[in-house]
Structure formats: C-alpha cells, structure tokens
Amino acid sequence: MALRAAAARLASSTLRRRHRHLLPPAALLSPATAHPAAFLHSHATSFGYKQVREDEKSKLVGNVFSSVASSYDVMNDLMSAGLHRLWKDRLISKLNPFPGMKHLDVAGGTGDVAFRVVERIKSVSHRATQGTLTDLEEDTHIYVCDINPNMLDVGKKRAAEKGYNEEQCLSWVQGDAEALSFEDGSMDGYTIAFGIRNVTHIEKALSEAYRVLKKGGRFLCLELSHVDVPIFKDIYDAYSFSVIPAVGELVAGDRQSYQYLVESIRRFPKQEKFAQMIQEAGFERVEYENLVGGVVAIHSGLKL
C-alpha cells in the first residue's frame, strides 16, 4: 500500500508538471551518439536477459503474449496500481486526435489506446457540431495493428462489449511493426504503447513509423523506461523482480512471461538513447516526458 501511494503521488506530480527533454539537431550529435545501431545490436538479439538468435525472438515474444493475452488487462491494473490508464490518457492528450484523422496504433491489440482515440475524436466532433455527424468524422479511421492474433481477439471482444462493433472507423489488422502493410504517407498519427521494446529490430519499427506518416504526422511512444529517482529506483527494482513475476504466477499462472517482461524493460535503451534513435529514423523535434520518475516515458517526434 505504501508503494502504491508513493507511485500515485509521483504520477500526480509528474502529470501536473511537464518535463521535456528536447534533442539537438542530428548534425550536432557526436559520432558516438549519431549511430544508435552501435548500442542496439545486443538489444536486438536479446530475450530478456537471454541472448537468442534474431529469428527466434519474434516467436518467443509471440509465445509470451499468447500466454498473457487473456489476463493482460487485469495484470496491467495490478502491476501499475491502475496508473497505466492515466499514462494512456496522457498519451492521447499529446496526440490531440481530430475528426477526419487517419491514425495507426501499433502493438495495440487490446484496443486500450484506439478506444481512447475514438472517444476523444467523438468528443471533439460533438462539441463542434452539437452531435451532428460531419463529413470529417465519417473520414476518420483508426487502425489497430498487432502481430499477435490472440491480443487482437481480446481487443475485438472488448470492442463488442463496449458497442464499438457499430463503429465503421475502427479496423483490426494483424501485422508486424517492422514491416507494416500501410502505404507511404498515409497516416496522420502513429502510437505504440508498451510494445516497441518487444520488437526484434527497434530501428526498423521506427523507420516504418516514419514511412507511413504524412508530412506533419506525429509519432508517439509510451514505454516502460528507466527510473531516475535514486531511492525510488531501489524500491522499483525490488518490486519489479520480486512482486511482478509472483503476481503473474498467482493471477495468470505464468511467472516466466512476466519475468521476461521485467527483464525486457531493463534491456530497453535509456530515454536519451531511445530519443536519439527516433531522431536517426528521420523525426524532428524529438522529445520525451518522464512519468512516475521514469517508470514510463512518452517519446514523441514529428515528420516534417
């Protein structure tokens, strides 16, 4: 309970106060920082703390998410004390969805982010037109892309429960973040929440994000990251490695998958390094915002 209260206070404080870290133009980066592939290689072939062949990683990650799909939402609430809902709300506020938007949410099989985008657009449209359906609203389309069919099944089920089956603007697509099936320059926005650390080649996923966005389109990534508050870091590490796998075993009957999820966070590049990778993919005005002392970070960039 003490941990939950401390996390809630930190989240509240961080959400009220924006911490932005703006990167310099790519030309100003030193040779050591201008090539993220140099530090990415070991990450690209890691599965948690284990080193695996690149062709094995996607299969192993797929097995993890097939295993946890049915309990994914419950575990998110338990692991974050419900704070993941606030983090996703913050992501959507930074995206600032609008009627007529073409948006792609990658690794979003359960629909959490996509549903928020739809609701925000409907809210904006309702305020502007007093409830009248506009041509712009009819042009709105939100694509949910996930490589795992089990996660997509969870999302479709949730959509039916929420009455979203009537929404013509919502599409579910099975696809790989590293090789998207969407056309060049076809999207106004791209989001990925808690998914990019699981791809085999992060730089390929970033390149694909850049490719499918229109000029002026925005990339946003919400990801578990690295805590920058010393005392809280020790508490968070103890919680991550002791509590989360144990809760995974108790609730989902799967300790091993949640052990991987914890380890994958530690192998993910730190905030500054990941921001440099986004910039190297071509994005400009790259910045990030830490939430809960760096437990999670929202990275963003524009295609200009």
Side-chain angles (χ1 to χ4, degrees):
M1 292 301 293
L3 176 60
R4 180 180 295 185
R9 286 196 297 272
L10 275 167
S12 176
S13 172
T14 310
L15 287 172
R16 287 196 305 268
R17 185 177 68 256
R18 299 177 71 178
H19 294 281
R20 288 191 168 187
H21 305 258
L22 191 62
L23 286 187
L28 299 181
L29 295 175
S30 69
T33 59
H35 299 285
F39 65 77
L40 177 66
H41 180 70
S42 63
H43 173 74
T45 55
S46 68
F47 179 74
Y49 286 161
K50 299 175 183 177
Q51 294 299 310
V52 298
R53 294 197 311 269
E54 290 184 353
D55 58 356
E56 287 183 311
K57 180 169 180 176
S58 60
K59 181 179 179 180
L60 291 169
V61 171
N63 291 340
V64 166
F65 283 93
S66 292
S67 174
V68 305
S70 61
S71 59
Y72 189 75
D73 292 326
V74 173
M75 283 298 298
N76 275 347
D77 279 328
L78 291 173
M79 289 188 297
S80 71
L83 294 177
H84 74 99
R85 300 172 186 273
L86 296 177
W87 302 336
K88 290 167 185 171
D89 288 343
R90 179 63 173 161
L91 179 74
I92 300 308
S93 72
K94 293 171 80 71
L95 176 65
N96 195 24
F98 55 87
M101 185 180 202
K102 300 293 187 296
H103 182 73
L104 175 61
D105 182 48
V106 175
T110 63
D112 249 13
V113 171
F115 298 153
R116 283 171 166 78
V117 175
V118 171
E119 286 302 318
R120 180 66 65 90
I121 289 174
K122 289 172 70 174
S123 174
V124 170
S125 180
H126 180 79
R127 290 197 303 270
T129 64
Q130 288 77 49
T132 303
L133 188 67
T134 66
D135 290 340
L136 276 177
E137 188 173 339
E138 289 179 335
D139 289 339
T140 301
H141 211 107
I142 314 302
Y143 298 89
V144 183
C145 178
D146 201 297
I147 198 169
N148 192 297
N150 295 289
M151 297 292 279
L152 287 169
D153 287 343
V154 170
K156 291 174 184 176
K157 182 179 178 181
R158 291 185 65 202
E161 292 170 350
K162 291 175 175 288
Y164 283 122
N165 281 356
E166 303 299 320
E167 299 286 350
Q168 299 299 312
C169 67
L170 198 56
S171 294
W172 305 86
V173 179
Q174 185 175 354
D176 188 345
E178 296 184 28
L180 296 170
S181 60
F182 302 94
E183 295 181 0
D184 295 1
S186 58
M187 299 292 162
D188 296 293
Y190 174 113
T191 50
I192 182 166
F194 307 123
I196 203 161
R197 76 182 187 281
N198 297 308
V199 303
T200 303
H201 302 100
I202 294 175
E203 76 280 11
K204 287 184 180 179
L206 292 173
S207 177
E208 281 291 271
Y210 186 86
R211 179 185 66 79
V212 301
L213 281 170
K214 300 176 183 178
K215 292 288 185 181
R218 190 168 195 186
F219 166 86
L220 282 162
C221 174
L222 171 64
E223 188 54 86
L224 293 157
S225 198
H226 297 268
V227 173
D228 59 4
V229 180
I231 296 176
F232 186 55
K233 182 180 186 302
D234 293 337
I235 298 172
Y236 178 60
D237 282 344
Y239 171 75
S240 297
F241 286 100
S242 300
V243 178
I244 289 179
V247 173
E249 184 174 22
L250 182 65
V251 176
D254 189 346
R255 184 185 187 94
Q256 199 168 22
S257 290
Y258 286 95
Q259 182 71 31
Y260 156 73
L261 292 175
V262 171
E263 292 175 1
S264 70
I265 299 165
R266 301 306 188 275
R267 294 302 301 266
F268 190 67
K270 290 186 176 181
Q271 287 89 323
E272 283 290 340
K273 287 185 178 181
F274 184 46
Q276 289 169 10
M277 293 171 66
I278 296 169
Q279 191 172 60
E280 285 297 312
F283 290 101
E284 299 185 42
R285 300 183 187 175
V286 176
E287 60 188 36
Y288 67 87
E289 179 182 10
N290 281 336
L291 304 177
V292 197
V295 170
V296 295
I298 298 177
H299 283 73
S300 67
L302 292 173
K303 181 177 178 178
L304 300 177

